[in-house]
Amino acid sequence: AGIGKCVALDLARRNARTILACRSRERGQAAVEEIRAATGNPAVVLRLLDTSSLASVRAFAQAVLREEKRLDVLVNNAGLTGLPFAITPEGLEQTFATNYLGPFLLTNLLLG
């Protein structure tokens, strides 16, 4: 939703292979179908990613490096705000993990 969806839509309009990295399979798949229909680009795909989970970030990065020939653009757009204080299963504060640690790790893992 929001800025991330707009960026993905623009990239797909430019005929780019576009990977939507989403926490929710249902919402992500709905966005994929909407973007494909709006752009006619079949190369819009969904991959699950929860940036609050460093394990999820590592798994996502490994899959991208294994499955994709190249990565030209990375848009880190995940973010949370206004949630009550919570600790992730990995012992990290949830907002900090989602907004900073996860995207930082993802970027570094994809740099190769």
Side-chain angles (χ1 to χ4, degrees):
I3 293 171
K5 187 174 174 185
C6 288
V7 170
L9 185 61
D10 187 60
L11 291 170
R13 279 195 180 118
R14 296 168 190 254
N15 207 34
R17 177 168 169 75
T18 306
I19 301 170
L20 276 64
C22 303
R23 281 182 307 209
S24 165
R25 182 178 305 277
E26 295 76 23
R27 289 180 56 204
Q29 192 58 44
V32 165
E33 291 169 15
E34 183 181 333
I35 292 169
R36 283 179 183 167
T39 65
N41 183 345
V44 178
V45 297
L46 174 65
R47 298 288 181 266
L48 296 180
L49 171 63
D50 178 356
T51 58
S52 74
S53 164
L54 301 185
S56 176
V57 170
R58 286 186 177 94
F60 176 86
Q62 285 177 338
V64 168
L65 292 171
R66 183 179 60 248
E67 298 168 6
E68 301 298 327
K69 294 177 186 170
R70 66 188 223 205
L71 179 66
D72 295 311
V73 176
L74 173 65
V75 178
N76 282 317
N77 186 55
L80 294 174
T81 186
L83 296 179
F85 180 84
I87 300 294
T88 69
E90 295 164 314
L92 305 167
E93 195 279 319
Q94 185 176 20
T95 302
F96 185 60
T98 301
N99 296 354
Y100 299 101
L101 297 178
F104 180 82
L105 177 61
L106 178 62
T107 300
N108 280 278
L109 291 172
L110 293 176
L111 284 173

